[in-house]
């Protein structure tokens, strides 16, 4: 009997390799012809674990001079040829590029560690190997990656001071705040990661237990999961990263359904070295996707400019540009800001007046969409999830609306909900949605976020403060904004006991509101 998953991995590696190489040959990556051919090598990682890697050097590199080194760990579930087109372009412009399959996936050895200490140790071993086996310059080393590769790159820069520059694309800085924000399991995102790793890798017993506890809502293991996630989050090591001084560029999509943008923005604010933050429309890793096939791509172009300046010393102006760059989901151009707090410099509050009670356990029709699909539709066709606000059943959904806006409202940054909640049970889940409501009552989703509570006294009110996922969205003149709250969304695991009710109130001494961040006009 053979090993079907190994055969599948081998077959897919060949197919993806053929696709990328064919793309280069057809002109998708025309500059690749100037770089030396790709070499596939085995690198001994931490504990001797074999890492499958590929190396591309600039044409004519003979050891007489040294070149800056770029190390690219692969994304979750993708093979080592993932970055081939970009690696060829970077090698052509004067970099040694080493891309490797992280442990536990595809043909590399070991088990999946989810960016644990063995993964960062592996990255340092890859750097060691490159310095010993290529004409790489030990004083000019950078790391970059998409998704999983982004997280490993940030963590390695915090632990290995040889890394002078990082480009972390569609990654995470806080793993728990990504897939367990609002104390709520992002079940579709978790299932996507789980399924991909089962097909393309080898889960450790620890990882399997984490997933099982995650799905089972095992509160007795909650702190264990949080501790596990903190160990794998660059936010935990931000002081060390700042001490090492690496120049950090981070890019993400507004609709990233695996790693929402808030946690990147929060982390960016804590960095003290050279830094850059970019947000664009799209979902997880979709903004970088065309660049992986060698096509023109803003994210990868900015990545190369970042490394050119901080590893080569090129005076290309990247350090003089506004470091926070945003692209609205509804308009075409980029906007620059001096820092994240300047993005939503003006705030307007929508009062959530009165007392409203909703019943739980039923989806009202207000939803955050479907992982990947919804944000891709928004990216390509400006078609976010929609709901008819007048038709939402008030038995299951609480609804508040603003007045019609006389002029366009440029929502930028993080909306914040503050309310007083009285539950009938000790546990519960709510999901808050912000909609752009047109004249006919059709609401387009601007943002949303889940919130879960446990251990509350039934009948006793308590305050709720919830940050919705950061976004950039232009509300047309004549439209309203609506806040909708219900208790069920397919994106998340909900914790509402059968028959539970949630009452929202607005005490005179602590009024409820949603605070909307707006671009300064």
């Amino acid at each position: 009997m053979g090993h079907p998953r190994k055969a599948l991995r081998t077959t897919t590696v060949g197919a993806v390799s053929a696709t990328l190489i064919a793309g280069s040959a057809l002109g998708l990556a025309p500059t690749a012809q100037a770089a030396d051919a790709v070499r596939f090598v085995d690198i001994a990682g931490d504990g001797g674990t074999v890492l499958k890697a590929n190396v591309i050097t600039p044409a004519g590199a003979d050891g007489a001079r040294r070149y800056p080194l770029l190390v690219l760990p692969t994304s979750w579930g993708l093979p080592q040829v993932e970055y081939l087109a970009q690696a060829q372009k970077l090698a052509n412009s004067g970099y040694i590029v080493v891309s490797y399959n992280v442990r536990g996936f595809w043909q590399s050895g070991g088990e999946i560690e989810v960016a644990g200490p063995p993964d960062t140790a592996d990255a340092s071993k890859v750097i060691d190997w490159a310095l010993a086996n290529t004409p790489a310059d030990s004083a000019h080393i950078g790391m970059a990656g998409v998704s999983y590769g982004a997280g490993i790159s940030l963590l390695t820069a915090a632990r290995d001071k040889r890394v002078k520059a990082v480009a972390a694309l569609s990654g995470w800085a806080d793993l728990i705040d990504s897939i367990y924000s609002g104390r709520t399991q992002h079940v579709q995102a978790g299932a996507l990661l789980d399924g991909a790793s089962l097909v393309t890798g080898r889960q450790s017993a620890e990882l399997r237990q984490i997933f099982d506890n995650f799905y089972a809502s095992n509160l007795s293991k909650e702190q264990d999961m949080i501790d596990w996630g903190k160990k794998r989050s660059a936010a935990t090591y931000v002081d060390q990263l700042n001490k090492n001084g690496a120049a950090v560029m981070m890019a993400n999509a507004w609709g990233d359904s695996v790693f929402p943008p808030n946690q990147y923005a929060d982390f960016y604010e804590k960095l003290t070295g050279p830094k850059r933050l970019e947000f664009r429309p799209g979902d997880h890793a979709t903004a970088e996707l065309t660049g992986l096939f060698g096509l023109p791509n803003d994210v990868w172009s900015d990545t190369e400019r970042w490394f050119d300046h901080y590893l080569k010393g090129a005076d290309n102006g990247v350090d003089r540009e506004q470091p926070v760059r945003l692209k609205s989901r509804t308009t075409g151009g980029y906007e620059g800001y001096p820092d994240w707090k300047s993005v939503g410099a003006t705030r307007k509050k929508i009062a959530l007046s009165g007392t409203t009670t909703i019943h739980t356990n039923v989806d009202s029709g207000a939803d955050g969409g479907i992982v990947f699909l919804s944000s891709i539709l928004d990216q390509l066709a400006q078609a976010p999830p929609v709901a008819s606000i007048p038709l939402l059943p008030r038995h299951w959904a609480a609804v508040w609306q603003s007045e019609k806006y006389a002029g366009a409202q440029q929502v930028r940054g993080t909306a914040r909900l503050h309310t007083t909640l009285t539950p009938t049970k000790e546990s519960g889940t709510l999901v808050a949605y912000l909609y752009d409501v047109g004249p006919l009552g059709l609401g387009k989703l601007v943002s949303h976020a889940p919130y879960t509570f446990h251990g509350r006294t039934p009948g006793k009110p308590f305050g709720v403060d919830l940050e919705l996922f950061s976004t950039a969205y232009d509300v047309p003149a004549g439209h309203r904004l609506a806040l909708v709250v219900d208790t069920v969304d397919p994106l998340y695991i909900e914790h509402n006991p059968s028959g539970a009710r949630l009452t929202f109130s607005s005490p005179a001494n602590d009024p409820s509101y949603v605070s909307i961040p707006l671009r300064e006009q």
Side-chain angles (χ1 to χ4, degrees):
M1 189 71 177
H3 300 279
R5 280 205 294 160
K6 183 175 180 180
L8 174 62
R9 288 195 291 269
T10 303
T11 302
T12 308
V13 166
V16 175
S17 300
T19 300
L20 291 174
I21 293 170
S24 298
L26 290 171
L28 296 183
T31 60
Q33 302 305 315
D36 281 351
V38 59
R39 289 191 295 130
F40 292 92
V41 299
D42 289 351
I43 297 176
D46 185 51
T49 298
V50 174
L51 306 174
K52 296 293 183 177
N54 58 66
V55 184
I56 305 180
T57 57
D62 56 7
R65 58 167 289 194
R66 296 287 167 178
Y67 299 86
L69 168 67
L70 292 180
V71 174
L72 312 179
T74 52
S75 301
W76 185 272
L78 291 186
Q80 59 163 308
V81 293
E82 173 187 4
Y83 303 115
L84 184 59
Q86 284 300 321
Q88 290 173 322
K89 294 173 73 173
L90 289 164
N92 180 62
S93 64
Y95 293 94
I96 304 287
V97 185
V98 181
S99 175
Y100 71 97
N101 239 121
V102 292
R103 65 169 54 220
F105 283 103
W106 295 90
Q107 305 306 309
S108 286
E111 295 178 326
I112 301 169
E113 295 287 344
V114 196
D119 285 309
T120 53
D122 283 346
S124 293
K125 291 287 188 181
V126 171
I127 292 172
D128 293 342
W129 182 92
L131 294 177
N133 294 277
T134 73
D137 185 346
S138 62
H140 298 89
I141 298 172
M143 289 189 67
V146 175
S147 185
Y148 197 34
I152 291 174
S153 294
L154 283 174
L155 286 161
T156 304
R159 295 177 176 177
D160 191 330
K161 62 183 180 181
R162 294 177 297 179
V163 179
K164 304 302 183 184
V166 172
L169 316 178
S170 288
W172 78 92
D174 188 325
L175 190 56
I176 295 300
D177 197 38
S178 295
I179 62 173
Y180 194 57
S181 70
R183 210 177 175 186
T184 308
Q185 296 97 326
H186 297 209
V187 66
Q188 287 191 16
L192 183 72
L193 296 172
D194 187 8
S197 64
L198 286 171
V199 172
T200 63
R202 297 168 299 283
Q203 293 184 356
S204 66
E206 180 186 39
L207 176 57
R208 184 66 260 157
Q209 191 62 57
I210 289 289
F211 273 124
D212 289 345
N213 291 337
F214 179 83
Y215 297 136
S217 305
N218 189 343
L219 289 179
S220 69
K221 298 294 184 180
E222 181 183 39
Q223 191 58 51
D224 290 344
M225 182 180 72
I226 291 172
D227 294 342
W228 175 87
K230 284 183 177 179
K231 186 184 294 185
R232 291 158 170 82
S233 298
T236 304
Y237 312 103
V238 65
D239 291 343
Q240 189 60 46
L241 182 58
N242 287 332
K243 181 180 178 181
N244 289 348
V248 177
M249 170 183 156
M250 299 186 295
N252 204 353
W254 293 120
D256 194 317
S257 49
V258 180
F259 304 129
N262 299 47
Q263 45 92 34
Y264 248 19
D266 291 344
F267 181 69
Y268 174 84
E269 288 291 274
K270 297 173 184 175
L271 294 173
T272 58
K275 58 184 180 177
R276 183 180 179 97
L277 180 67
E278 302 183 353
F279 285 130
R280 298 172 174 83
D283 204 311
H284 185 62
T286 62
E288 301 90 352
L289 184 60
T290 56
L292 294 178
F293 292 91
L295 294 168
N297 182 277
D298 290 350
V299 186
W300 285 104
S301 294
D302 286 348
T303 294
E304 185 170 354
R305 293 176 64 229
W306 189 253
F307 286 134
D308 282 351
H309 179 74
Y310 287 103
L311 296 183
K312 290 183 177 179
D315 185 15
N316 55 16
V318 73
D319 57 320
R320 296 188 294 275
E321 296 171 355
Q322 297 276 46
V324 177
R325 287 174 53 82
L326 314 180
K327 189 173 185 180
S328 170
R329 291 161 48 202
T330 49
T331 56
Y334 284 95
E335 303 164 4
Y337 299 86
D339 48 39
W340 176 249
K341 65 178 178 289
S342 300
V343 172
T346 302
R347 284 192 169 267
K348 289 185 179 179
K349 290 182 178 180
I350 301 172
L352 310 181
S353 57
T355 299
T356 303
T357 298
I358 61 173
H359 294 249
T360 64
N361 310 119
V362 172
D363 190 341
S364 71
D367 286 322
I370 300 171
V371 66
F372 273 124
L373 177 61
S374 297
S375 291
I376 291 175
L377 286 174
D378 188 35
Q379 176 184 2
L380 299 178
Q382 294 186 7
V386 298
S388 176
I389 304 304
L391 297 181
L392 289 174
R394 285 353 188 224
H395 194 66
W396 313 109
V399 179
W400 299 268
Q401 295 191 73
S402 72
E403 298 297 322
K404 288 184 180 179
Y405 294 112
Q409 305 294 299
Q410 294 181 306
V411 179
R412 299 289 187 272
T414 308
R416 298 187 178 96
L417 166 66
H418 173 74
T419 190
T420 297
L421 175 63
T422 305
T424 60
K425 304 289 184 180
E426 67 173 15
S427 295
T429 296
L430 62 88
V431 185
Y433 308 89
L434 187 66
Y435 283 101
D436 161 23
V437 185
L440 299 179
L442 185 66
K444 294 183 177 180
L445 188 64
V446 177
S447 184
H448 80 285
Y451 177 89
T452 293
F453 60 90
H454 296 289
R456 292 292 178 173
T457 302
K460 183 177 180 180
F462 63 94
V464 171
D465 289 285
L466 175 63
E467 289 192 345
L468 277 61
F469 299 140
S470 304
T471 195
Y473 183 100
D474 295 359
V475 179
H479 285 213
R480 308 171 188 264
L481 281 171
L483 183 80
V484 176
V485 178
D486 73 1
T487 64
V488 176
D489 190 306
L491 287 171
Y492 310 108
I493 290 177
E494 53 103 356
H495 298 265
N496 297 296
S498 179
R501 297 184 305 279
L502 303 178
T503 296
F504 302 92
S505 58
S506 184
N509 63 344
D510 186 19
S512 296
Y513 60 86
V514 59
S515 174
I516 309 298
L518 300 173
R519 183 183 183 189
E520 195 165 27
Q521 299 297 307

